Amino acid sequence: MMAPSLQNREPDAVKQNTNVFIEMVITTQEADRQAAAGLGVAKRTLDDGTEEKVLWIPNGLAVSKPELCYWLEQEHKTRTTV
């Protein structure tokens, strides 16, 4: 089974211990760029055993929902035009 396209993926809320992170699927190139900037890049394993790289939005990010949605939209636009 083929993994879904990155463009069709929605951010997920992921709970680890008592923390909740916003997790976004990203490309390997984007993972390298974000890791170099010091952000939390991880891997997750899908049900079919394939792995994909994900970015964890910084823990403790305190913004309003409209601000977060705007930021996500801008990040998506930037990544899809590169």
Side-chain angles (χ1 to χ4, degrees):
M1 178 155 83
M2 184 176 285
S5 160
L6 293 179
Q7 291 181 347
N8 296 331
R9 299 300 303 263
E10 295 290 326
D12 293 320
V14 176
K15 187 170 185 177
Q16 184 179 53
N17 300 320
T18 60
N19 296 315
V20 176
F21 297 90
I22 297 172
E23 182 179 80
M24 295 175 23
V25 177
I26 57 176
T27 64
T28 299
Q29 181 182 11
E30 184 65 13
D32 294 343
R33 190 178 84 74
Q34 295 295 343
L39 295 179
V41 175
K43 290 181 187 176
R44 72 173 171 192
T45 304
L46 302 175
D47 291 339
D48 66 1
T50 60
E51 290 185 339
E52 56 190 6
K53 294 192 178 189
V54 294
L55 174 66
W56 286 4
I57 304 301
N59 192 20
L61 184 67
V63 298
S64 69
K65 184 176 179 179
E67 290 172 341
L68 178 58
C69 290
Y70 176 77
W71 180 81
L72 289 170
E73 181 182 325
Q74 294 306 307
E75 288 294 305
H76 177 70
K77 284 180 183 176
T78 299
R79 303 307 180 256
T80 57
T81 59
V82 172

